[in-house]
Amino acid sequence: MNAALPFLLFGAMLGLMALRVPIWVSMFLPGVVGYLVYSSPDALLASLKGLAFARFSIYDLSVVPLFILMGHFATQGGLSAALFRCAAAFVGHLRGGLAQAAILACAAFGAVCGSSVATAATIANVALPEMKRYRYDGGLATATLAAGGTLGILIPPSVVLVIYAIIAEQNIAKLFAAAMIPGLIAAAGYCIAIAVYMRFRPEAGPAEARQSWRERLVTLRSVWPVVTIFALVFGGIYGGVFTATEAASVGALLTLAAGLVAGELRWPGVRRALLATAETTGVIFLIFIGADMLNAALALTQMPARVAEYVAHLDLPPLAVVAGILLFYVVLGGVMDELSMLLLTLPVLMPTVLGLDLWGLSTEHKAIWFGILVLCVVNIGLIAPPVGLNVYVINGLAKDVPMNRTYRMVFIFLASDVVRTTLLLLFPPLALWAVQFVR
């Protein structure tokens, strides 16, 4: 019974999720049961008494609502339209160029957003009408936007990466630096995937008229707010001028100012941004509470230590162990959202990974490298069937495109994800090279 209890608790959590019970409740209730089995009612009450304060008094958590607010100000402030028009001016004349422009716009918008769903939905509102006007294949258009949205959590600032940094007790600025090159590789990989597909199906992405260099320069001037915000926020972080929390505050203020100056952001938009930030933050913090309760119960079962000990005695290469963990995350991503998945599994799997001899990396570098790998496979869960949250969001905006058509096209982007993740697994310097420049 003792050995089976962790698996019973995990099964109970998945069962509650299947019944559409809120995620934090689905984790909290099995955690309470497990705590009672291994402890006592008095110990449980003593734990609950300080659970919320112990979690929410962590100063670094304040960066979460600030980056979320920055993203909502960017969404409401109309920054997405200028980014897409600029990208389309440079690559729209190519076959599949508007799809590539959507990917580039998602990458640029992700630099001020930090949310996958928000990036996908915001760029879709601008890009979908244009791709329909040029008679793009509906599956290609929706799959492109769903995949492009994942750049919102890969390219800093990333709310998921902030959560990982807090759980793994790592420096947020170093994780942001580590994500930059993989994020650029992801954007380039998606554009290459579109270009390769166009070789076989050129009619799926008709080209628009080529624009002059003068017209292109005009569109470049329109994206200066995003460039300025990114330069100030991340230049401040990497230069040691700001902490991550201070940078998030500056970023939110600058994004608000940019929207107001452009005339796109008015009081109704500010109000929607504040309410959406409060709602999203509330959901995230409740998931924290649920995961903390379940992890406390799992800690009493000594499951993390047992897993680490078991893996250490397996006659497997360390890279094979990491690859197995990543495959586990891909499967788990089909039934859980990325935040719940990280909060629940990292306390169990992190000691295992840090105990492996991987390329002679230090403990800090192993934690940072593994965080980027996890972020890449989390992206796969956002677009892969059967759940693919981004696919559902985009198809909600493009109701005339059957979801199965989107899922068929998503596989060209999943192939790019697999190539990128494999490269990062085999060549850690792709993620760790930029870390050396963070003060």
Side-chain angles (χ1 to χ4, degrees):
M1 174 64 180
N2 286 349
L5 184 60
F7 301 99
L8 292 175
L9 295 178
F10 194 73
M13 178 199 69
L14 293 179
L16 289 171
M17 288 181 179
L19 295 173
R20 303 182 69 84
V21 175
I23 292 174
W24 77 273
V25 178
S26 299
M27 292 190 288
F28 187 84
L29 292 180
V32 168
V33 172
Y35 210 101
L36 285 172
V37 170
Y38 275 91
S39 189
S40 66
D42 288 343
L44 173 63
L45 291 174
S47 176
L48 290 174
K49 180 177 64 176
L51 183 66
F53 179 78
R55 170 56 66 187
F56 298 151
S57 61
I58 299 174
Y59 174 74
D60 285 345
L61 269 181
S62 59
V63 77
V64 174
L66 288 170
F67 273 132
I68 293 174
L69 181 61
M70 179 178 169
H72 283 298
F73 279 153
T75 301
Q76 298 293 332
L79 298 180
S80 56
L83 292 171
F84 178 72
R85 284 195 296 268
C86 180
F90 282 86
V91 299
H93 63 281
L94 304 173
R95 289 197 178 273
L98 288 180
Q100 293 177 337
I103 293 295
L104 297 175
C106 284
F109 191 76
V112 293
C113 183
S115 165
S116 173
V117 171
T119 298
T122 304
I123 299 300
N125 285 326
V126 182
L128 268 178
E130 282 297 297
M131 286 194 272
K132 285 181 180 178
R133 186 161 71 91
Y134 281 90
R135 301 182 183 278
Y136 265 60
D137 177 82
L140 174 64
T142 51
T144 296
L145 291 163
T150 64
L151 299 173
I153 63 169
L154 185 55
I155 293 177
S158 166
V159 173
V160 175
L161 207 55
V162 169
I163 300 299
Y164 177 89
I166 293 170
I167 300 171
E169 298 180 349
Q170 295 300 313
N171 183 289
I172 295 175
K174 289 184 178 181
L175 276 161
F176 280 178
M180 289 301 300
I181 292 177
L184 295 175
I185 293 174
Y190 287 162
C191 288
I192 291 171
I194 293 168
V196 171
Y197 183 73
M198 287 298 103
R199 301 280 294 184
F200 298 95
R201 288 277 314 278
E203 74 282 359
E208 67 171 7
R210 182 189 294 268
Q211 295 194 30
S212 68
W213 277 104
R214 181 177 181 180
E215 291 171 320
R216 292 173 179 176
L217 292 175
V218 169
T219 64
L220 270 179
R221 287 199 294 268
S222 66
V223 301
W224 70 265
V226 175
V227 176
T228 303
I229 292 168
F230 183 84
L232 289 175
V233 170
F234 292 98
I237 291 177
Y238 302 145
V241 179
F242 305 138
T243 64
T245 304
E246 292 166 347
S249 303
V250 171
L253 183 61
L254 289 176
T255 310
L256 170 63
L260 293 174
V261 170
E264 297 286 343
L265 188 58
R266 295 181 174 83
W267 169 243
V270 173
R271 184 174 180 274
R272 284 193 296 269
L274 292 172
L275 286 175
T277 300
E279 291 170 358
T280 305
T281 304
V283 170
I284 290 174
F285 282 16
L286 282 174
I287 292 174
F288 262 114
I289 292 296
D292 284 347
M293 189 70 254
L294 185 53
N295 283 327
L298 292 176
L300 289 176
T301 69
Q302 297 184 336
M303 184 182 182
R306 289 178 180 175
V307 169
E309 183 180 354
Y310 174 76
V311 172
H313 285 86
L314 288 176
D315 189 20
L316 290 173
L319 273 184
V321 175
V322 176
I325 291 173
L326 296 179
L327 287 174
F328 168 71
Y329 273 123
V330 171
V331 174
L332 198 60
V335 294
M336 293 182 70
D337 71 281
E338 66 273 17
L339 182 57
S340 303
M341 190 165 60
L342 293 182
L343 289 171
L344 185 62
T345 59
L346 282 179
V348 177
L349 297 177
M350 182 63 75
T352 301
V353 174
L354 296 184
L356 298 172
D357 181 13
L358 294 161
W359 309 104
L361 297 175
S362 66
T363 299
E364 180 189 41
H365 281 179
K366 274 189 285 189
I368 292 173
W369 172 62
F370 182 64
I372 302 304
L373 287 172
V374 169
L375 197 63
C376 287
V377 295
V378 161
N379 280 354
I380 292 175
L382 286 168
I383 59 175
V387 179
L389 179 59
N390 278 16
V391 174
Y392 278 81
V393 170
I394 297 301
N395 275 89
L397 298 173
K399 299 183 185 297
D400 58 322
V401 181
M403 193 168 293
N404 61 349
R405 284 181 62 189
T406 303
Y407 272 129
R408 281 201 299 268
M409 291 303 307
V410 149
F411 280 96
I412 69 172
F413 299 103
L414 289 175
S416 175
D417 286 335
V418 170
V419 171
R420 181 179 74 255
T421 305
T422 303
L423 286 174
L424 290 169
L425 180 65
L426 298 177
F427 302 102
L430 289 174
L432 297 175
W433 178 79
V435 173
Q436 63 183 308
F437 300 107
V438 180
R439 296 180 182 178

Short mmCIF file of all heavy atoms in Angstrom, two decimals, residues 155-191:
data_model
loop_
_atom_site.label_atom_id
_atom_site.label_comp_id
_atom_site.label_asym_id
_atom_site.label_seq_id
_atom_site.Cartn_x
_atom_site.Cartn_y
_atom_site.Cartn_z
N ILE A 155 10.43 32.58 -25.78
CA ILE A 155 11.23 33.81 -25.84
C ILE A 155 10.91 34.66 -24.61
O ILE A 155 9.75 34.93 -24.32
CB ILE A 155 10.92 34.57 -27.13
CG1 ILE A 155 11.43 33.76 -28.34
CG2 ILE A 155 11.54 35.97 -27.11
CD1 ILE A 155 11.14 34.38 -29.68
N PRO A 156 11.91 35.07 -23.83
CA PRO A 156 11.66 35.86 -22.62
C PRO A 156 10.95 37.17 -22.94
O PRO A 156 11.17 37.74 -24.02
CB PRO A 156 13.07 36.12 -22.08
CG PRO A 156 13.92 35.06 -22.71
CD PRO A 156 13.32 34.80 -24.06
N PRO A 157 10.12 37.68 -22.00
CA PRO A 157 9.83 37.10 -20.69
C PRO A 157 8.83 35.97 -20.78
O PRO A 157 7.86 36.06 -21.52
CB PRO A 157 9.23 38.29 -19.92
CG PRO A 157 8.54 39.08 -20.98
CD PRO A 157 9.38 38.94 -22.22
N SER A 158 9.06 34.91 -20.05
CA SER A 158 8.20 33.74 -20.07
C SER A 158 7.70 33.46 -18.66
O SER A 158 8.49 33.23 -17.75
CB SER A 158 8.96 32.53 -20.60
OG SER A 158 8.27 31.34 -20.34
N VAL A 159 6.39 33.48 -18.49
CA VAL A 159 5.81 33.21 -17.17
C VAL A 159 6.16 31.79 -16.72
O VAL A 159 6.49 31.55 -15.56
CB VAL A 159 4.28 33.41 -17.19
CG1 VAL A 159 3.66 32.97 -15.87
CG2 VAL A 159 3.95 34.86 -17.46
N VAL A 160 6.11 30.84 -17.66
CA VAL A 160 6.45 29.45 -17.32
C VAL A 160 7.90 29.34 -16.87
O VAL A 160 8.21 28.63 -15.90
CB VAL A 160 6.18 28.53 -18.52
CG1 VAL A 160 6.64 27.10 -18.23
CG2 VAL A 160 4.71 28.53 -18.89
N LEU A 161 8.79 30.07 -17.52
CA LEU A 161 10.20 30.03 -17.14
C LEU A 161 10.42 30.68 -15.77
O LEU A 161 11.28 30.23 -15.00
CB LEU A 161 11.04 30.75 -18.20
CG LEU A 161 12.49 30.30 -18.36
CD1 LEU A 161 12.57 28.80 -18.61
CD2 LEU A 161 13.16 31.04 -19.50
N VAL A 162 9.65 31.71 -15.47
CA VAL A 162 9.73 32.32 -14.14
C VAL A 162 9.31 31.31 -13.07
O VAL A 162 9.96 31.18 -12.02
CB VAL A 162 8.83 33.57 -14.07
CG1 VAL A 162 8.68 34.05 -12.63
CG2 VAL A 162 9.40 34.69 -14.93
N ILE A 163 8.22 30.59 -13.33
CA ILE A 163 7.76 29.57 -12.38
C ILE A 163 8.82 28.49 -12.21
O ILE A 163 9.10 28.05 -11.08
CB ILE A 163 6.43 28.94 -12.87
CG1 ILE A 163 5.34 30.00 -13.00
CG2 ILE A 163 5.99 27.83 -11.93
CD1 ILE A 163 4.99 30.71 -11.73
N TYR A 164 9.41 28.06 -13.31
CA TYR A 164 10.47 27.05 -13.22
C TYR A 164 11.63 27.56 -12.36
O TYR A 164 12.17 26.83 -11.52
CB TYR A 164 10.98 26.68 -14.62
CG TYR A 164 12.14 25.70 -14.59
CD1 TYR A 164 11.91 24.34 -14.59
CD2 TYR A 164 13.46 26.15 -14.54
CE1 TYR A 164 12.97 23.44 -14.55
CE2 TYR A 164 14.52 25.27 -14.48
CZ TYR A 164 14.27 23.91 -14.48
OH TYR A 164 15.33 23.02 -14.42
N ALA A 165 12.02 28.82 -12.59
CA ALA A 165 13.14 29.39 -11.83
C ALA A 165 12.85 29.38 -10.33
O ALA A 165 13.72 29.08 -9.51
CB ALA A 165 13.42 30.82 -12.31
N ILE A 166 11.61 29.69 -9.97
CA ILE A 166 11.24 29.73 -8.55
C ILE A 166 11.25 28.33 -7.95
O ILE A 166 11.77 28.10 -6.86
CB ILE A 166 9.85 30.38 -8.39
CG1 ILE A 166 9.94 31.87 -8.77
CG2 ILE A 166 9.34 30.23 -6.96
CD1 ILE A 166 8.60 32.55 -8.88
N ILE A 167 10.69 27.35 -8.68
CA ILE A 167 10.66 25.98 -8.18
C ILE A 167 12.07 25.41 -8.06
O ILE A 167 12.42 24.77 -7.07
CB ILE A 167 9.81 25.08 -9.10
CG1 ILE A 167 8.38 25.59 -9.21
CG2 ILE A 167 9.80 23.64 -8.60
CD1 ILE A 167 7.57 24.89 -10.27
N ALA A 168 12.88 25.62 -9.11
CA ALA A 168 14.23 25.05 -9.13
C ALA A 168 15.25 25.91 -8.38
O ALA A 168 16.42 25.53 -8.30
CB ALA A 168 14.69 24.88 -10.58
N GLU A 169 14.80 27.06 -7.86
CA GLU A 169 15.66 27.96 -7.10
C GLU A 169 16.86 28.41 -7.95
O GLU A 169 18.01 28.35 -7.53
CB GLU A 169 16.12 27.32 -5.79
CG GLU A 169 14.97 26.98 -4.85
CD GLU A 169 15.44 26.33 -3.56
OE1 GLU A 169 16.63 25.97 -3.47
OE2 GLU A 169 14.63 26.21 -2.62
N GLN A 170 16.54 28.86 -9.17
CA GLN A 170 17.57 29.33 -10.09
C GLN A 170 17.37 30.80 -10.39
O GLN A 170 16.30 31.36 -10.17
CB GLN A 170 17.53 28.52 -11.39
CG GLN A 170 17.86 27.05 -11.22
CD GLN A 170 19.25 26.82 -10.66
OE1 GLN A 170 20.22 27.42 -11.13
NE2 GLN A 170 19.36 25.96 -9.66
N ASN A 171 18.41 31.43 -10.94
CA ASN A 171 18.38 32.84 -11.27
C ASN A 171 17.49 33.07 -12.50
O ASN A 171 17.73 32.48 -13.56
CB ASN A 171 19.81 33.32 -11.54
CG ASN A 171 19.90 34.80 -11.81
OD1 ASN A 171 19.47 35.26 -12.86
ND2 ASN A 171 20.44 35.55 -10.86
N ILE A 172 16.48 33.92 -12.36
CA ILE A 172 15.54 34.17 -13.46
C ILE A 172 16.26 34.78 -14.66
O ILE A 172 16.01 34.39 -15.81
CB ILE A 172 14.40 35.08 -13.00
CG1 ILE A 172 13.55 34.38 -11.92
CG2 ILE A 172 13.50 35.49 -14.17
CD1 ILE A 172 12.47 35.25 -11.32
N ALA A 173 17.16 35.73 -14.42
CA ALA A 173 17.87 36.39 -15.52
C ALA A 173 18.70 35.39 -16.32
O ALA A 173 18.77 35.46 -17.55
CB ALA A 173 18.75 37.51 -14.98
N LYS A 174 19.34 34.45 -15.65
CA LYS A 174 20.15 33.45 -16.35
C LYS A 174 19.27 32.52 -17.18
O LYS A 174 19.65 32.12 -18.30
CB LYS A 174 20.98 32.65 -15.35
CG LYS A 174 22.11 33.45 -14.72
CD LYS A 174 22.96 32.60 -13.80
CE LYS A 174 24.13 33.42 -13.23
NZ LYS A 174 25.00 32.61 -12.35
N LEU A 175 18.11 32.17 -16.67
CA LEU A 175 17.19 31.33 -17.45
C LEU A 175 16.66 32.09 -18.66
O LEU A 175 16.50 31.52 -19.75
CB LEU A 175 16.04 30.85 -16.56
CG LEU A 175 16.36 29.60 -15.73
CD1 LEU A 175 15.40 29.46 -14.57
CD2 LEU A 175 16.33 28.36 -16.60
N PHE A 176 16.37 33.37 -18.49
CA PHE A 176 15.95 34.19 -19.63
C PHE A 176 17.04 34.22 -20.71
O PHE A 176 16.77 34.10 -21.91
CB PHE A 176 15.63 35.61 -19.19
CG PHE A 176 14.26 35.77 -18.57
CD1 PHE A 176 13.85 37.01 -18.08
CD2 PHE A 176 13.38 34.71 -18.48
CE1 PHE A 176 12.59 37.18 -17.52
CE2 PHE A 176 12.12 34.86 -17.92
CZ PHE A 176 11.73 36.10 -17.44
N ALA A 177 18.30 34.40 -20.26
CA ALA A 177 19.41 34.43 -21.22
C ALA A 177 19.54 33.08 -21.93
O ALA A 177 19.78 33.02 -23.14
CB ALA A 177 20.71 34.78 -20.50
N ALA A 178 19.38 32.00 -21.18
CA ALA A 178 19.50 30.67 -21.76
C ALA A 178 18.42 30.39 -22.79
O ALA A 178 18.62 29.59 -23.72
CB ALA A 178 19.44 29.61 -20.65
N ALA A 179 17.27 31.02 -22.66
CA ALA A 179 16.15 30.78 -23.57
C ALA A 179 16.25 31.56 -24.88
O ALA A 179 15.53 31.24 -25.84
CB ALA A 179 14.83 31.12 -22.88
N MET A 180 17.14 32.54 -24.96
CA MET A 180 17.18 33.41 -26.14
C MET A 180 17.55 32.65 -27.41
O MET A 180 16.85 32.73 -28.42
CB MET A 180 18.15 34.57 -25.90
CG MET A 180 17.67 35.60 -24.89
SD MET A 180 16.09 36.36 -25.36
CE MET A 180 16.52 37.10 -26.91
N ILE A 181 18.66 31.93 -27.39
CA ILE A 181 19.10 31.21 -28.60
C ILE A 181 18.10 30.11 -28.97
O ILE A 181 17.71 30.00 -30.15
CB ILE A 181 20.52 30.65 -28.42
CG1 ILE A 181 21.53 31.82 -28.36
CG2 ILE A 181 20.88 29.69 -29.55
CD1 ILE A 181 22.96 31.40 -28.12
N PRO A 182 17.64 29.27 -28.02
CA PRO A 182 16.61 28.30 -28.38
C PRO A 182 15.35 28.95 -28.95
O PRO A 182 14.71 28.39 -29.84
CB PRO A 182 16.32 27.59 -27.05
CG PRO A 182 17.59 27.70 -26.29
CD PRO A 182 18.14 29.04 -26.64
N GLY A 183 14.98 30.12 -28.43
CA GLY A 183 13.81 30.81 -28.96
C GLY A 183 14.00 31.25 -30.40
O GLY A 183 13.10 31.09 -31.24
N LEU A 184 15.20 31.77 -30.72
CA LEU A 184 15.49 32.16 -32.09
C LEU A 184 15.56 30.94 -33.01
O LEU A 184 15.11 30.98 -34.17
CB LEU A 184 16.81 32.93 -32.15
CG LEU A 184 16.82 34.29 -31.41
CD1 LEU A 184 18.22 34.90 -31.42
CD2 LEU A 184 15.81 35.24 -32.03
N ILE A 185 16.13 29.83 -32.50
CA ILE A 185 16.16 28.59 -33.28
C ILE A 185 14.75 28.10 -33.56
O ILE A 185 14.44 27.62 -34.66
CB ILE A 185 16.97 27.50 -32.54
CG1 ILE A 185 18.44 27.89 -32.46
CG2 ILE A 185 16.81 26.14 -33.21
CD1 ILE A 185 19.29 26.95 -31.62
N ALA A 186 13.86 28.24 -32.56
CA ALA A 186 12.47 27.81 -32.74
C ALA A 186 11.79 28.61 -33.84
O ALA A 186 11.13 28.05 -34.72
CB ALA A 186 11.70 27.96 -31.43
N ALA A 187 11.95 29.94 -33.80
CA ALA A 187 11.33 30.78 -34.83
C ALA A 187 11.88 30.46 -36.21
O ALA A 187 11.13 30.34 -37.19
CB ALA A 187 11.55 32.26 -34.49
N ALA A 188 13.21 30.30 -36.30
CA ALA A 188 13.82 29.96 -37.59
C ALA A 188 13.37 28.58 -38.06
O ALA A 188 13.09 28.38 -39.25
CB ALA A 188 15.35 29.99 -37.45
N GLY A 189 13.27 27.63 -37.13
CA GLY A 189 12.84 26.28 -37.49
C GLY A 189 11.43 26.25 -38.03
O GLY A 189 11.13 25.53 -39.01
N TYR A 190 10.53 27.04 -37.43
CA TYR A 190 9.15 27.09 -37.93
C TYR A 190 9.10 27.72 -39.33
O TYR A 190 8.35 27.26 -40.19
CB TYR A 190 8.29 27.91 -36.97
CG TYR A 190 7.97 27.21 -35.67
CD1 TYR A 190 7.52 27.94 -34.56
CD2 TYR A 190 8.11 25.85 -35.52
CE1 TYR A 190 7.22 27.31 -33.36
CE2 TYR A 190 7.82 25.21 -34.32
CZ TYR A 190 7.38 25.96 -33.24
OH TYR A 190 7.08 25.34 -32.05
N CYS A 191 9.90 28.77 -39.55
CA CYS A 191 9.93 29.39 -40.88
C CYS A 191 10.48 28.42 -41.93
O CYS A 191 9.98 28.35 -43.06
CB CYS A 191 10.77 30.67 -40.85
SG CYS A 191 9.99 32.05 -39.97
#
